[in-house]
Each structure stands twice: as C-alpha cells, then as structure tokens.
Amino acid sequence: MRDDNCIFCKIANGEIPSATLYEDEDFRVILDLGPASKGHALILPKEHAANLYELPDELAAKAMVVAKKVGSVLAKGLNCDGLNVVQNNGEAAGQTVFHFHIHLIPRFKGDEKQVKLTWEPGKLTDEVKEEVLKLFP
Ligand code: 5GP
Ligand code: ZN
C-alpha cells in the first residue's frame, strides 16, 4: 500500500530522486537531507506504514537485516567509531515524517555536541516496575 500524500512513499518508490545507497524489493536506503553526522542514512520500506506498530512482521524482520548490511558498510567505509540505529514513533518521540524509517547514524569520537541521543537516567521504582510488568502477564 502507498499513501499518495507521503513524501517517503514517493522517495522509496523512486518517484522523487534521492541519494540511494541501497535498494531491494522491499526497501530503499537514502542519505538524510538534514544529517546528524557524515553518512546519516534512512531505511525506508517501499510499502507505507506510519510507524513500527503498523509495520508488517515480515518487513520489521527484514528491516533489521538491511540495517546490519548497510550499517556495516557505512561503519567500515567511513571508519567511524560507532553507529546509532534509531527509530522514532510519534511526535513525542521526535518523529516528523509519518512513514516508518530507521536512522543509521555514524558516530565519531567527540561529536556529542552535534549528535544528541542521550538522556538523564532516572531510577526504577517498585511501583513503576509492577505497573509495567503487569502488561506482560
Ligand atoms: P524523524 O524525525 O521522523 O525520525 O526523521 C525524519 C528524517 O527525515 C529527518 O532526519 C529529516 O532530516 C529527514 N528528511 C525529511 N524530509 C526528507 C527528504 O525529503 N529527503 C531526505 N533524504 N530526508 C528527509
Ligand atoms: Zn509512506
């Protein structure tokens, strides 16, 4: 399924040109136009799914294999010091384009000023632990 109003549907299916690093039957991997770092890439399924919850299981599984494949080439080729695999769902989580995608973000020592993916660690309370554990009886 495609969504005619979705820019990532158009890019993934080749209707809008993009700097494509990898393509197969199900995915296109492109360079992000607003990169966090050198080599920042996006894995786009060709089929429209707004987010991870909507993504069919088969594509979810294949997406991680693509992340491994392309991430490995980026890491080796760019000689980076690390690689973040990031996937945002919902505005509150930073999602701005509502077509599922995975970010591959090469990391270089000392780039923390430019690339911010950290949080202040809290403390796991018994109350919260019980609440969340109850979701998985
Ligand atoms: P999100 O915030 O939804 O997880 O990530 C959306 C990403 O898509 C951002 O990093 C943004 O720079 C990138 N982006 C948005 N529009 C375009 C576009 O038209 N082409 C490309 N290559 N990247 C885009
Ligand atoms: Zn789409």
CSV table of all heavy atoms in Angstrom, one decimal, residues 92-127:
chain,number,residue,atom,x,y,z
A,92,ALA,N,5.9,12.8,20.0
A,92,ALA,CA,6.6,12.9,21.4
A,92,ALA,C,8.0,12.3,21.3
A,92,ALA,O,8.9,12.6,22.1
A,92,ALA,CB,5.7,12.3,22.4
A,93,ALA,N,8.1,11.3,20.4
A,93,ALA,CA,9.4,10.6,20.3
A,93,ALA,C,10.3,11.2,19.3
A,93,ALA,O,11.4,10.7,19.0
A,93,ALA,CB,9.2,9.1,20.0
A,94,GLY,N,9.9,12.3,18.7
A,94,GLY,CA,10.7,13.0,17.7
A,94,GLY,C,10.4,12.6,16.3
A,94,GLY,O,11.1,13.1,15.3
A,95,GLN,N,9.3,11.9,16.0
A,95,GLN,CA,9.0,11.5,14.6
A,95,GLN,C,8.4,12.7,13.9
A,95,GLN,O,7.5,13.4,14.4
A,95,GLN,CB,8.0,10.3,14.6
A,95,GLN,CG,7.8,9.8,13.2
A,95,GLN,CD,6.8,8.6,13.1
A,95,GLN,OE1,6.2,8.2,14.1
A,95,GLN,NE2,6.8,8.0,11.9
A,96,THR,N,9.0,13.0,12.8
A,96,THR,CA,8.5,14.2,12.0
A,96,THR,C,7.9,13.7,10.6
A,96,THR,O,7.1,14.4,10.0
A,96,THR,CB,9.6,15.2,11.7
A,96,THR,OG1,10.7,14.6,11.1
A,96,THR,CG2,10.1,15.8,13.0
A,97,VAL,N,8.3,12.6,10.1
A,97,VAL,CA,7.8,12.0,8.9
A,97,VAL,C,7.1,10.7,9.2
A,97,VAL,O,7.7,9.8,9.8
A,97,VAL,CB,8.9,11.8,7.8
A,97,VAL,CG1,8.3,11.2,6.5
A,97,VAL,CG2,9.6,13.1,7.5
A,98,PHE,N,5.8,10.7,8.9
A,98,PHE,CA,5.0,9.6,9.4
A,98,PHE,C,4.9,8.4,8.5
A,98,PHE,O,3.8,8.0,8.1
A,98,PHE,CB,3.6,10.1,10.0
A,98,PHE,CG,3.9,11.0,11.1
A,98,PHE,CD1,4.1,12.4,11.0
A,98,PHE,CD2,3.9,10.5,12.4
A,98,PHE,CE1,4.4,13.2,12.1
A,98,PHE,CE2,4.2,11.3,13.5
A,98,PHE,CZ,4.5,12.6,13.3
A,99,HIS,N,6.0,8.0,8.0
A,99,HIS,CA,6.3,6.8,7.2
A,99,HIS,C,7.4,6.1,7.9
A,99,HIS,O,8.5,6.7,8.0
A,99,HIS,CB,6.6,7.2,5.8
A,99,HIS,CG,7.0,6.0,4.9
A,99,HIS,ND1,6.3,5.7,3.7
A,99,HIS,CD2,8.0,5.1,4.9
A,99,HIS,CE1,6.9,4.7,3.1
A,99,HIS,NE2,7.9,4.3,3.8
A,100,PHE,N,7.2,4.9,8.4
A,100,PHE,CA,8.3,4.2,9.2
A,100,PHE,C,9.6,4.4,8.6
A,100,PHE,O,9.8,4.2,7.3
A,100,PHE,CB,7.9,2.7,9.3
A,100,PHE,CG,9.0,1.9,9.9
A,100,PHE,CD1,9.0,1.7,11.3
A,100,PHE,CD2,10.0,1.3,9.1
A,100,PHE,CE1,10.1,0.9,11.8
A,100,PHE,CE2,11.0,0.6,9.7
A,100,PHE,CZ,11.1,0.4,11.0
A,101,HIS,N,10.6,4.6,9.4
A,101,HIS,CA,12.0,4.7,8.9
A,101,HIS,C,13.0,4.4,10.0
A,101,HIS,O,12.7,4.7,11.2
A,101,HIS,CB,12.4,6.0,8.2
A,101,HIS,CG,12.0,7.2,9.0
A,101,HIS,ND1,10.8,7.7,9.1
A,101,HIS,CD2,12.8,8.0,9.8
A,101,HIS,CE1,10.8,8.8,9.9
A,101,HIS,NE2,12.0,8.9,10.4
A,102,ILE,N,14.1,3.9,9.7
A,102,ILE,CA,15.2,3.6,10.7
A,102,ILE,C,16.4,4.5,10.3
A,102,ILE,O,16.8,4.6,9.1
A,102,ILE,CB,15.7,2.2,10.6
A,102,ILE,CG1,14.5,1.2,11.1
A,102,ILE,CG2,16.9,2.0,11.5
A,102,ILE,CD1,14.9,-0.2,11.0
A,103,HIS,N,16.8,5.3,11.3
A,103,HIS,CA,18.0,6.1,11.1
A,103,HIS,C,19.3,5.3,11.3
A,103,HIS,O,19.4,4.5,12.4
A,103,HIS,CB,18.1,7.2,12.1
A,103,HIS,CG,17.0,8.2,12.0
A,103,HIS,ND1,17.1,9.4,11.4
A,103,HIS,CD2,15.7,8.2,12.5
A,103,HIS,CE1,16.0,10.1,11.4
A,103,HIS,NE2,15.1,9.4,12.1
A,104,LEU,N,20.3,5.4,10.5
A,104,LEU,CA,21.6,4.8,10.7
A,104,LEU,C,22.5,6.1,10.9
A,104,LEU,O,22.7,6.8,9.9
A,104,LEU,CB,22.1,4.0,9.5
A,104,LEU,CG,21.2,2.8,9.2
A,104,LEU,CD1,21.8,2.1,7.9
A,104,LEU,CD2,21.3,1.8,10.4
A,105,ILE,N,23.0,6.2,12.1
A,105,ILE,CA,23.8,7.5,12.3
A,105,ILE,C,25.2,7.1,12.7
A,105,ILE,O,25.5,6.7,13.9
A,105,ILE,CB,23.1,8.3,13.5
A,105,ILE,CG1,21.6,8.6,13.1
A,105,ILE,CG2,23.9,9.6,13.7
A,105,ILE,CD1,20.9,9.3,14.2
A,106,PRO,N,26.2,7.3,11.8
A,106,PRO,CA,27.6,7.0,12.1
A,106,PRO,C,28.0,8.0,13.2
A,106,PRO,O,27.7,9.2,13.2
A,106,PRO,CB,28.3,7.3,10.8
A,106,PRO,CG,27.3,7.1,9.8
A,106,PRO,CD,26.0,7.6,10.4
A,107,ARG,N,28.8,7.5,14.2
A,107,ARG,CA,29.3,8.3,15.2
A,107,ARG,C,30.8,8.4,15.2
A,107,ARG,O,31.5,7.5,15.0
A,107,ARG,CB,28.8,7.8,16.6
A,107,ARG,CG,27.3,7.7,16.7
A,107,ARG,CD,26.6,9.1,16.6
A,107,ARG,NE,27.2,10.0,17.6
A,107,ARG,CZ,26.7,10.1,18.9
A,107,ARG,NH1,25.6,9.4,19.2
A,107,ARG,NH2,27.2,11.0,19.7
A,108,PHE,N,31.3,9.6,15.6
A,108,PHE,CA,32.7,9.9,15.6
A,108,PHE,C,33.1,10.5,16.9
A,108,PHE,O,32.3,11.3,17.5
A,108,PHE,CB,33.0,10.9,14.4
A,108,PHE,CG,32.7,10.4,13.1
A,108,PHE,CD1,31.4,10.6,12.6
A,108,PHE,CD2,33.6,9.6,12.3
A,108,PHE,CE1,31.0,10.1,11.3
A,108,PHE,CE2,33.2,9.1,11.1
A,108,PHE,CZ,31.9,9.4,10.6
A,109,LYS,N,34.2,10.0,17.5
A,109,LYS,CA,34.6,10.5,18.8
A,109,LYS,C,34.5,12.0,18.9
A,109,LYS,O,35.0,12.7,18.0
A,109,LYS,CB,36.0,10.0,19.1
A,109,LYS,CG,36.0,8.6,19.7
A,109,LYS,CD,37.4,8.1,20.2
A,109,LYS,CE,37.3,6.7,20.5
A,109,LYS,NZ,38.3,5.9,19.9
A,110,GLY,N,33.9,12.5,19.9
A,110,GLY,CA,33.9,14.0,20.1
A,110,GLY,C,32.7,14.6,19.4
A,110,GLY,O,32.6,15.9,19.4
A,111,ASP,N,31.8,13.9,18.8
A,111,ASP,CA,30.7,14.5,18.1
A,111,ASP,C,29.4,14.8,18.9
A,111,ASP,O,28.4,15.1,18.4
A,111,ASP,CB,30.3,13.7,16.8
A,111,ASP,CG,29.6,12.3,17.2
A,111,ASP,OD1,29.4,12.1,18.4
A,111,ASP,OD2,29.3,11.6,16.3
A,112,GLU,N,29.5,14.6,20.3
A,112,GLU,CA,28.3,14.7,21.1
A,112,GLU,C,27.6,16.1,21.1
A,112,GLU,O,26.5,16.2,21.4
A,112,GLU,CB,28.7,14.4,22.6
A,112,GLU,CG,29.4,13.1,22.9
A,112,GLU,CD,30.9,13.2,22.7
A,112,GLU,OE1,31.4,14.3,22.3
A,112,GLU,OE2,31.5,12.2,23.0
A,113,LYS,N,28.4,17.1,20.7
A,113,LYS,CA,27.8,18.5,20.6
A,113,LYS,C,26.8,18.5,19.4
A,113,LYS,O,25.8,19.2,19.5
A,113,LYS,CB,28.9,19.5,20.4
A,113,LYS,CG,29.5,20.0,21.7
A,113,LYS,CD,29.7,21.5,21.7
A,113,LYS,CE,30.1,22.0,23.1
A,113,LYS,NZ,31.5,21.9,23.4
A,114,GLN,N,27.1,17.8,18.4
A,114,GLN,CA,26.3,17.8,17.2
A,114,GLN,C,25.2,16.7,17.2
A,114,GLN,O,24.1,16.9,16.8
A,114,GLN,CB,27.3,17.5,16.0
A,114,GLN,CG,26.6,17.3,14.6
A,114,GLN,CD,25.9,18.6,14.1
A,114,GLN,OE1,26.3,19.7,14.5
A,114,GLN,NE2,25.0,18.4,13.2
A,115,VAL,N,25.5,15.6,17.8
A,115,VAL,CA,24.6,14.5,17.8
A,115,VAL,C,24.2,14.2,19.2
A,115,VAL,O,25.0,13.7,20.1
A,115,VAL,CB,25.3,13.2,17.2
A,115,VAL,CG1,24.2,12.1,17.0
A,115,VAL,CG2,26.0,13.5,15.9
A,116,LYS,N,22.9,14.5,19.5
A,116,LYS,CA,22.4,14.3,20.9
A,116,LYS,C,21.4,13.2,21.0
A,116,LYS,O,20.2,13.4,20.6
A,116,LYS,CB,21.8,15.6,21.4
A,116,LYS,CG,22.8,16.7,21.4
A,116,LYS,CD,22.3,17.9,22.2
A,116,LYS,CE,23.4,19.0,22.4
A,116,LYS,NZ,23.7,19.6,21.1
A,117,LEU,N,21.8,12.1,21.6
A,117,LEU,CA,20.9,10.9,21.7
A,117,LEU,C,20.9,10.4,23.1
A,117,LEU,O,20.6,9.2,23.3
A,117,LEU,CB,21.3,9.8,20.7
A,117,LEU,CG,21.3,10.1,19.2
A,117,LEU,CD1,22.0,9.1,18.4
A,117,LEU,CD2,19.8,10.3,18.8
A,118,THR,N,21.2,11.2,24.1
A,118,THR,CA,21.3,10.7,25.4
A,118,THR,C,20.2,11.2,26.3
A,118,THR,O,19.4,12.0,25.9
A,118,THR,CB,22.7,11.2,26.1
A,118,THR,OG1,22.7,12.6,26.0
A,118,THR,CG2,23.9,10.7,25.3
A,119,TRP,N,20.0,10.6,27.5
A,119,TRP,CA,19.0,11.1,28.5
A,119,TRP,C,19.6,11.0,29.9
A,119,TRP,O,20.7,10.4,30.1
A,119,TRP,CB,17.8,10.2,28.4
A,119,TRP,CG,18.1,8.7,28.5
A,119,TRP,CD1,18.2,8.0,29.7
A,119,TRP,CD2,18.4,7.8,27.4
A,119,TRP,NE1,18.5,6.7,29.4
A,119,TRP,CE2,18.6,6.5,28.0
A,119,TRP,CE3,18.4,7.9,26.1
A,119,TRP,CZ2,18.9,5.4,27.3
A,119,TRP,CZ3,18.7,6.7,25.3
A,119,TRP,CH2,18.9,5.5,25.9
A,120,GLU,N,18.9,11.7,30.8
A,120,GLU,CA,19.3,11.6,32.2
A,120,GLU,C,18.7,10.4,32.8
A,120,GLU,O,17.5,10.2,32.8
A,120,GLU,CB,18.7,12.8,32.9
A,120,GLU,CG,19.4,14.1,32.7
A,120,GLU,CD,20.8,14.1,33.2
A,120,GLU,OE1,21.1,13.5,34.3
A,120,GLU,OE2,21.7,14.6,32.5
A,121,PRO,N,19.5,9.4,33.2
A,121,PRO,CA,19.0,8.2,33.8
A,121,PRO,C,18.2,8.5,35.1
A,121,PRO,O,18.6,9.3,35.9
A,121,PRO,CB,20.2,7.4,34.2
A,121,PRO,CG,21.4,8.1,33.5
A,121,PRO,CD,21.0,9.5,33.3
A,122,GLY,N,16.9,7.9,35.2
A,122,GLY,CA,16.1,8.1,36.4
A,122,GLY,C,16.4,6.9,37.3
A,122,GLY,O,17.5,6.4,37.3
A,123,LYS,N,15.4,6.5,38.1
A,123,LYS,CA,15.5,5.4,39.0
A,123,LYS,C,14.3,4.5,38.9
A,123,LYS,O,13.2,5.0,38.9
A,123,LYS,CB,15.7,5.9,40.4
A,123,LYS,CG,15.8,4.9,41.5
A,123,LYS,CD,17.2,4.8,42.0
A,123,LYS,CE,17.4,3.8,43.1
A,123,LYS,NZ,17.4,2.4,42.6
A,124,LEU,N,14.5,3.2,38.6
A,124,LEU,CA,13.3,2.3,38.5
A,124,LEU,C,12.7,2.1,39.9
A,124,LEU,O,13.3,1.5,40.8
A,124,LEU,CB,13.7,1.0,37.9
A,124,LEU,CG,12.6,0.0,37.7
A,124,LEU,CD1,11.5,0.5,36.8
A,124,LEU,CD2,13.2,-1.3,37.2
A,125,THR,N,11.5,2.6,40.1
A,125,THR,CA,10.8,2.4,41.4
A,125,THR,C,10.0,1.1,41.3
A,125,THR,O,9.7,0.6,40.3
A,125,THR,CB,9.8,3.5,41.6
A,125,THR,OG1,8.8,3.5,40.6
A,125,THR,CG2,10.5,4.9,41.7
A,126,ASP,N,9.7,0.5,42.5
A,126,ASP,CA,8.9,-0.7,42.6
A,126,ASP,C,7.5,-0.5,42.0
A,126,ASP,O,7.0,-1.4,41.3
A,126,ASP,CB,8.7,-1.1,44.1
A,126,ASP,CG,10.0,-1.7,44.6
A,126,ASP,OD1,10.9,-2.1,43.8
A,126,ASP,OD2,10.2,-1.8,45.8
A,127,GLU,N,6.9,0.7,42.2
A,127,GLU,CA,5.6,1.0,41.7
A,127,GLU,C,5.6,0.9,40.1
A,127,GLU,O,4.7,0.2,39.5
A,127,GLU,CB,5.2,2.4,42.1
A,127,GLU,CG,3.7,2.7,42.0
A,127,GLU,CD,3.5,4.2,42.3
A,127,GLU,OE1,4.4,4.9,42.8
A,127,GLU,OE2,2.4,4.6,42.0
